[in-house]
């Protein structure tokens, strides 16, 4: 039996038009006027937008960090994604030192399989390096993992040196993969942290003070130079500040294949959060840290102008109680990261579209289409077209709600956007034609998310 969404406005990255959408066997089979046939189930979408399901290209579920593990696993994290309008997540399968890439991938496949409420794929985060690991990159790409994350920060834990970056970029270019980089100067940060701690400056606000924007700008510049040398495309994750964005803009003006991602936390929250009393500031300890509010206008403009192509939650949730609290004695021990997978889509609509900063088409581009293109999922994902997966959000723009941890689906004891207003609501969310969420709640159904074997990176998809 087919399901037909009637009376809505279809929105893609390029178009906006009134049409009915027919979904059959997981795919979109017709888009047009009055496409329903006898026996079809009809869902009234009058007054609503029909958006491609959100794609969150940056989450960390079930990730062990410094003796603790993220509060959300694949079940709760993908349930939260579905509730908020995200139907695909790309999580970082993280290699721990001493592991092969195959071990890391198998580990993440095991954590995710059978537990996901939305479709999922993996990037491989490389923390250890030798010739055998480099050689393994090709096998991993063949298994559908066509992107790798490397870290220029988190010294002695995840950080790799510039020689490794160059080698990984060369291998990625040769085999059609995309390098995703965490750009902060980890060596200098480690020195600044040591100095701060020696002075007795151990409160959470020193997390931000020891990771200045200058060191993000410097790392992005170095990364762009290395990518030029390797003649490789580059994707800079979680761009937080004007210093970093400027480097990307200059590279893009020269025609280099350099892409940027930002996150709602950098668009909407700022360094004032580190002044919150009673250790509450620890909720906002993430890397890069929140920046002065003046950066936000540049980041929004970067999204509107296409210098930043994607928005990601960088969902990496730790409970305030017992997890963030591990760092009461010193900010170095606060696990880095914040939740956001449930709210990214709604926040981008509210503070992007409804606030007049993004058009509807730009919203779709930065919440779904561009990620699908960059990460080898397009056009099955990231658009509404005949033949595409029927991943559809029926978005009612007339609704309003207040974001609060009290009614959230993500399994963490706070919400970084507590009290923020959301304009519009995901009235219904479909994953491959099956409704999985309604009005911000997960429907009572078994997790049906599938592993997505992604194609190789293709720069011509991006133009
Ligand atoms: O603080 C953050 N962002 N934690 C997650 C790991 C990362 O660097 O993306
Ligand atoms: Zn990172
Ligand atoms: Zn991250």
């Amino acid at each position: 039996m087919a399901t037909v969404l009637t009376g809505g406005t279809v929105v893609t990255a390029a178009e906006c038009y009134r049409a009915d959408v027919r979904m059959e066997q997981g795919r979109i089979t017709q888009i047009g006027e009055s496409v329903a046939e006898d026996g079809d189930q009809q869902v009234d979408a009058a007054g609503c937008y029909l958006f491609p399901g959100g794609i969150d290209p940056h989450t960390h579920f079930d990730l062990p960090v410094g003796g603790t593990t993220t509060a959300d696993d694949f079940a709760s994290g993908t349930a939260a994604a579905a509730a908020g309008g995200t139907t695909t997540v790309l999580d970082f399968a993280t290699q721990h030192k001493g592991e092969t890439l195959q071990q890391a991938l198998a580990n993440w496949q095991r954590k995710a399989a059978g537990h996901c409420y939305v479709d999922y794929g993996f990037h491989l985060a490389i923390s250890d390096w030798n010739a055998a690991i480099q050689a393994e990159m090709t096998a991993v790409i063949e298994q559908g993992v066509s992107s790798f994350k490397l870290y220029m920060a988190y010294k002695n834990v995840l950080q790799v040196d510039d020689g490794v970056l160059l080698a990984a970029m060369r291998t990625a270019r040769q085999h059609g993969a995309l390098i995703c980089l965490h750009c902060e100067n980890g060596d200098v940060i480690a020195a600044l942290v040591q100095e701060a701690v020696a002075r007795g400056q151990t409160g959470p606000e020193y997390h931000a003070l020891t990771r200045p924007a200058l060191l993000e700008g410097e790392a992005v510049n170095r990364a762009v130079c290395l990518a030029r040398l390797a003649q490789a495309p580059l994707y800079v994750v979680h761009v937080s500040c004007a210093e970093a964005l400027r480097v990307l803009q200059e590279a893009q003006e020269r025609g280099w294949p350099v892409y940027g991602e930002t996150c709602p936390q950098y668009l909407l929250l700022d360094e004032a959060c580190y002044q919150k009393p009673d250790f509450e500031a620890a909720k906002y300890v993430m890397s890069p840290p929140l920046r002065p509010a003046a950066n936000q206008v540049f980041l929004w403009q970067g999204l509107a102008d296409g210098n930043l192509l994607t928005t990601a939650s960088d969902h990496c949730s730790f409970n305030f109680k017992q997890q963030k609290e591990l760092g009461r004695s010193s900010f170095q021990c606060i696990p880095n990261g914040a939740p956001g997978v449930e709210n990214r889509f709604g926040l981008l609509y509210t503070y992007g579209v409804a606030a007049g900063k993004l058009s509807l088409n730009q919203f779709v581009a930065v919440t779904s289409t561009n990620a699908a293109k960059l990460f080898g999922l397009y056009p099955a994902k990231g658009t509404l077209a005949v033949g595409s997966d029927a991943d559809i959000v029926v978005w009612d723009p007339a609704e309003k709600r207040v974001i609060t941890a009290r009614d959230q689906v993500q399994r963490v004891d706070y919400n970084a956007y507590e009290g923020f207003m959301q304009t519009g609501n995901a009235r219904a969310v479909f994953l491959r034609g099956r409704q999985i969420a309604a009005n911000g709640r997960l429907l009572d159904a078994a997790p049906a998310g599938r592993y997505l074997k992604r194609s190789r990176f293709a720069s011509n998809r991006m133009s």
Side-chain angles (χ1 to χ4, degrees):
M1 187 181 65
T3 303
V4 181
L5 306 175
T6 61
T9 299
V10 172
V11 188
T12 68
E15 292 179 295
C16 223
Y17 56 97
R18 291 286 296 274
D20 296 349
V21 178
R22 191 156 196 268
M23 311 183 270
E24 256 174 310
Q25 294 181 347
R27 297 256 169 86
I28 297 173
T29 52
Q30 262 183 290
I31 303 180
E33 258 180 62
S34 311
V35 299
E37 293 174 12
D38 284 351
D40 285 353
Q41 186 202 358
Q42 296 195 31
V43 176
D44 181 13
C48 293
Y49 294 120
L50 305 181
F51 293 132
I55 299 176
D56 190 336
H58 187 154
T59 63
H60 304 273
F61 298 142
D62 207 349
L63 176 71
V65 174
T68 191
T69 299
T70 52
D72 282 295
D73 58 15
F74 279 88
S76 64
T78 58
T86 290
T87 52
T88 296
V89 296
L90 298 180
D91 199 82
F92 289 89
T94 301
Q95 174 206 31
H96 305 298
K97 286 198 192 302
E99 274 182 355
T100 64
L101 299 188
Q102 287 298 344
Q103 283 169 332
L105 187 54
N107 202 5
W108 250 258
Q109 291 283 17
R110 186 184 41 75
K111 288 171 191 253
H115 300 294
C116 292
Y117 290 91
V118 301
D119 286 351
Y120 62 98
F122 302 118
H123 314 276
L124 222 145
I126 298 177
S127 67
D128 209 357
W129 189 255
N130 55 43
I133 289 166
Q134 184 170 13
E136 269 194 290
M137 284 174 72
T138 51
V140 166
I141 295 166
E142 263 148 40
Q143 287 163 267
V145 179
S146 51
S147 45
F148 297 85
K149 182 176 182 185
L150 290 104
Y151 291 84
M152 299 171 84
Y154 302 120
K155 193 171 163 117
N156 299 327
V157 185
L158 295 165
Q159 185 176 330
V160 296
D161 67 30
D162 293 351
V164 171
L165 290 181
L166 182 65
M169 285 174 177
R170 284 179 169 152
T171 307
R173 186 214 51 198
Q174 228 182 328
H175 298 283
L178 183 59
I179 295 293
C180 306
L181 266 193
H182 177 127
C183 296
E184 290 184 289
N185 186 321
D187 288 347
V188 177
I189 288 167
L192 295 182
V193 167
Q194 251 185 4
E195 284 172 17
V197 172
R199 286 194 292 263
Q201 297 169 326
T202 55
E205 66 278 22
Y206 288 101
H207 171 76
L209 292 171
T210 54
R211 308 181 87 97
L214 200 57
L215 297 183
E216 187 179 336
E218 183 280 326
V220 174
N221 189 46
R222 190 159 27 106
V224 169
C225 292
L226 294 171
R228 284 289 294 152
L229 203 59
Q231 296 186 318
L234 172 68
Y235 178 87
V236 178
V237 297
H238 47 46
V239 172
S240 74
C241 58
E243 285 83 345
L245 177 59
R246 213 168 290 130
V247 178
L248 293 181
Q249 279 164 337
E250 279 170 21
Q252 290 161 357
E253 276 161 22
R254 292 182 160 91
W256 301 342
V258 171
Y259 312 104
E261 164 196 286
T262 192
C263 313
Q265 52 270 39
Y266 304 119
L267 293 161
L268 298 170
L269 305 174
D270 66 72
E271 63 178 4
C273 292
Y274 298 119
Q275 299 311 315
K276 288 186 189 268
D278 303 325
F279 201 60
E280 287 254 325
K283 293 177 177 175
Y284 305 91
V285 166
M286 61 185 80
S287 296
L290 300 177
R291 303 298 190 188
N295 288 279
Q296 292 170 359
V297 64
F298 294 99
L299 298 178
W300 280 112
Q301 198 57 48
L303 281 178
D305 293 344
N307 302 117
L308 297 168
L309 281 184
T310 60
T311 54
S313 65
D314 193 6
H315 185 99
C316 190
S317 59
F318 297 99
N319 288 315
F320 178 68
K321 292 264 166 240
Q322 291 180 8
Q323 292 194 295
K324 290 288 185 180
E325 284 186 337
L326 291 169
R328 272 202 186 268
S329 61
S330 177
F331 69 91
Q332 296 161 281
C333 305
I334 302 170
N336 281 205
V341 70
E342 190 168 342
N343 304 113
R344 177 193 68 114
F345 198 81
L347 288 169
L348 262 291
Y349 180 84
T350 306
Y351 298 95
V353 178
K357 294 190 177 86
L358 298 177
S359 70
L360 283 165
N361 308 108
Q362 287 168 334
F363 166 77
V364 168
V366 304
T367 56
S368 182
T369 313
N370 292 342
K373 289 182 174 178
L374 280 160
F375 295 113
L377 295 169
Y378 189 84
K381 306 285 188 194
T383 194
L384 300 182
V386 171
S388 295
D389 285 0
D391 295 350
I392 304 179
V393 178
V394 180
W395 186 263
D396 184 348
E399 282 194 31
K400 280 202 183 312
R401 58 179 286 249
V402 177
I403 295 173
T404 172
R406 278 192 301 283
D407 65 13
Q408 71 186 2
V409 175
Q410 50 201 13
R411 196 179 56 199
V412 54
D413 65 5
Y414 73 99
N415 188 302
Y417 306 96
E418 185 70 34
F420 274 56
M421 199 69 197
Q422 180 177 299
T423 301
N425 202 21
R427 186 195 283 182
V429 180
F430 292 85
L431 175 70
R432 284 178 277 100
R434 180 170 151 270
Q435 190 175 353
I436 55 170
N439 299 315
R441 313 302 307 167
L442 187 73
L443 294 182
D444 197 13
R450 286 189 191 152
Y451 172 65
L452 298 169
K453 204 170 165 214
R454 297 184 288 115
S455 350
R456 287 163 206 252
F457 172 76
S459 59
N460 58 2
R461 261 199 307 257
M462 302 317 302
S463 45

